[in-house]
Amino acid sequence: MAEIQTMARRGSIAVHPVGDDLAEFTGIADFPAGWKAYGFRVPSRENIRISLHHSNKAWFRLIMVNRQGEQEKGMLQNLIPTGNPETTYTNPTDETRRVYVIVDDPGWMSSETNPFIMRITRSWGQGGKAEDSTPLASGIWAVK
């Protein structure tokens, strides 16, 4: 987290946008950092659950933050460890919110031959709500 905070103070952190049409994707953590960030849009009064699957999932951690890199109402339940790399967000506002999930892989367990799998469960489903065009590049985040 110290490296992420330092990068944010120097400018911005690269985030990979995830569209509303994806329910699953694979990825690997950046080397040597050991982490990667993904951006999601959550419509008003809806919720999202993101879980990570890998053969060594105990080595991973998911951290959800807002556009300023802080936790806010709707994501505070993620402070209680469940033993599984997963995170949830319930949007308590009347506007679409942007949330960012950092995949922390300190042991560099993910690789091209053994990537992690991210599964996304949305309360609004595909086609249920129109995708908002709110840019994910905001606050400390820059789209990669």
Side-chain angles (χ1 to χ4, degrees):
M1 288 304 291
E3 180 185 359
I4 294 167
Q5 290 172 344
T6 301
M7 288 179 66
R9 290 183 187 115
R10 288 186 190 157
S12 58
I13 298 172
V15 63
H16 300 271
V18 178
D20 279 345
D21 57 337
L22 280 180
E24 181 178 296
F25 63 91
T26 61
I28 60 171
D30 292 335
F31 185 83
W35 59 270
K36 187 172 257 184
Y38 297 95
F40 300 86
R41 289 182 185 88
V42 182
S44 117
R45 308 289 176 195
E46 299 292 346
N47 59 64
I48 190 169
R49 179 179 176 268
I50 298 114
S51 59
L52 183 140
H53 301 273
H54 189 270
S55 56
N56 296 315
K57 69 179 183 177
W59 282 88
F60 290 84
R61 177 173 67 142
L62 296 183
I63 306 158
M64 183 176 284
V65 294
N66 64 13
R67 66 189 188 113
Q68 298 303 326
E70 301 167 345
Q71 295 202 313
E72 65 180 38
K73 187 175 179 180
M75 57 182 72
L76 299 178
Q77 68 278 4
N78 299 319
L79 298 176
I80 301 168
T82 63
N84 293 314
E86 64 183 16
T87 187
T88 61
Y89 177 67
T90 302
N91 185 350
T93 69
D94 291 326
E95 60 187 35
T96 298
R97 302 289 290 180
R98 296 161 293 205
V99 295
Y100 304 88
V101 175
I102 300 169
V103 177
D104 186 20
D105 181 9
W108 299 300
M109 293 293 167
S110 61
S111 65
E112 292 290 337
T113 57
N114 191 17
F116 55 78
I117 300 168
M118 299 285 281
R119 294 200 176 113
I120 306 145
T121 307
R122 297 172 176 90
S123 63
W124 64 97
Q126 291 188 17
K129 294 203 176 194
E131 186 171 322
D132 190 317
S133 62
T134 308
L136 285 169
S138 178
I140 63 172
W141 305 95
V143 174
K144 180 169 185 179

